[in-house]
Amino acid sequence: MVWEDLVAGYAWADAADWETYTFSVVRGKTEEEVIRAFGGDPASSRAMTFAEAADEQADHIHADHALLRVVTVENHVVAIEWGSHGSIPEIARLASSDGGEFFSVHHNVLAQHQVMHARDGRVDGMFDPSVVGDAAWMEPTPEIPAWAAGIPFQLDTQGSESFALLERIMGVQVVPAWMDTALRTVPLASPDALFSDLEAAWLP
């Protein structure tokens, strides 16, 4: 598909009013393996929509109460959060270990974006699309991975371009209807509880 048409199909991402989200796509793993990589227990699952999960987390905002929703699309697991576990490099490494592949798109309340890709337990690119336009004038110069080279990442289309890149690399179309669908949902341990060295967990 032509890149411009692919981006246009994700116009909803630029118009969405979700304050915070992370979509992660994992290839070569089961839902149970992905849930464990994110710090969850597959046995504790229940069905929730994105809004229900976000409301529950907001009610426990000071209690490290994070929820992960998952859906399987062919041989991919899509993980959806009102949160940021999928933006942590160590989780990308765990979820892509032993021949797997991982890609995540993150947006937060500060309107910052992050895209990240990992393969076989190694992160091979993580950056904020908002800096791409000014990268040549920044010091140090942000490193844009080869798999994202040539994408302009305009400020008003960062969301659609990020999801288009996800689809181009992973071969999975992100469907906005998943937000209103009750998907398998599990609680996640906080990053502090998951990793003995939190600083190292955030290093790509």
Side-chain angles (χ1 to χ4, degrees), residues 78-107:
V78 181
I80 305 169
E81 306 170 71
W82 188 71
S84 58
H85 277 61
S87 68
I88 302 173
E90 184 62 20
I91 287 180
R93 286 187 280 269
L94 292 170
S96 67
S97 63
D98 299 322
E101 187 175 9
F102 175 100
F103 194 102
S104 67
V105 172
H106 171 71
H107 171 83

Side-chain angles (χ1 to χ4, degrees), residues 55-140:
D55 287 346
E56 181 173 312
Q57 287 181 230
D59 288 340
H60 301 81
I61 197 69
H62 300 297
D64 289 325
H65 188 76
L67 297 168
L68 179 75
R69 303 167 63 243
V70 296
V71 59
T72 297
V73 182
E74 296 179 353
N75 65 330
H76 300 78
V77 177
V78 181
I80 305 169
E81 306 170 71
W82 188 71
S84 58
H85 277 61
S87 68
I88 302 173
E90 184 62 20
I91 287 180
R93 286 187 280 269
L94 292 170
S96 67
S97 63
D98 299 322
E101 187 175 9
F102 175 100
F103 194 102
S104 67
V105 172
H106 171 71
H107 171 83
N108 64 31
V109 71
L110 300 176
Q112 297 169 325
H113 286 75
Q114 176 187 287
V115 293
M116 176 169 58
H117 180 260
R119 188 191 297 271
D120 199 19
R122 184 180 69 85
V123 173
D124 61 8
M126 180 180 83
F127 67 98
D128 180 350
S130 68
V131 307
V132 171
D134 297 323
W137 296 276
M138 297 178 69
E139 184 63 40

Side-chain angles (χ1 to χ4, degrees), residues 145-169:
W147 46 261
I151 298 175
F153 285 111
Q154 304 296 322
L155 289 178
D156 57 349
T157 55
Q158 287 181 62
S160 55
E161 289 177 309
S162 295
F163 282 113
L165 182 59
L166 182 157
E167 181 175 344
R168 188 170 75 175
I169 289 177

